[in-house]
Amino acid sequence: QVQLVESGGGLVQPGGSLRLSCAASGSRRIINVMGWYRQALGKERELVATLTSGDRANYADFVKGRFTISRDNAKNTVNLQMNSLKPEDTAVYYCNAHMFNGITWSDYWGQGTQVTVSS
């Protein structure tokens, strides 16, 4: 059982920055993929960025050039540096851990942290 704890959300002005952090605990294996997803009111959850244990990153088109994902494999933490924030970035951001136990793949989710971009 893996638990994810997120922090760093808040209210920022358009063009501002936020840094989200997520710490995973309870994993007996390296977490193959860690990432961030977001869900705006009335919309489905969508991919923001993911990062493998081998530092291979994948970004959604709407955040490329603005957001940067990073992780510490030893600590199983993942961060999301968000710059040049736009009102449309407003959403609840969720941390995700995707991992293989030798037989199956599993997904774990954080509780979510609210990001609001408004002036």
Side-chain angles (χ1 to χ4, degrees):
Q1 186 73 14
V2 176
Q3 292 181 301
L4 306 175
V5 180
E6 301 155 317
S7 62
L11 173 65
V12 296
Q13 305 251 25
S17 298
L18 279 176
R19 183 177 177 85
L20 306 183
S21 297
C22 172
S25 62
S27 176
R28 300 171 68 178
R29 298 172 177 265
I30 186 72
I31 299 176
N32 302 89
V33 186
M34 298 190 74
W36 293 92
Y37 293 70
R38 71 186 189 187
Q39 186 169 19
L41 285 175
K43 297 184 178 180
E44 296 183 354
R45 190 173 300 184
E46 62 183 352
L47 170 78
V48 176
T50 61
L51 189 63
T52 71
S53 60
D55 291 328
R56 184 163 58 247
N58 180 49
Y59 294 94
D61 287 340
F62 54 80
V63 303
K64 285 182 178 178
R66 300 189 297 125
F67 293 6
T68 303
I69 189 170
S70 61
R71 66 183 286 175
D72 184 330
N73 290 332
K75 298 180 179 179
N76 277 335
T77 60
V78 63
N79 303 307
L80 185 69
Q81 178 65 47
M82 304 186 293
N83 299 324
S84 302
L85 284 162
K86 306 174 181 179
E88 51 263 45
D89 293 319
T90 296
V92 177
Y93 284 70
Y94 296 92
C95 180
N96 169 259
H98 187 61
M99 58 189 299
F100 186 66
N101 66 2
I103 301 175
T104 60
W105 289 86
S106 298
D107 279 290
Y108 300 91
W109 298 91
Q111 77 284 358
T113 184
Q114 177 70 46
V115 172
T116 301
V117 185
S118 180
S119 62

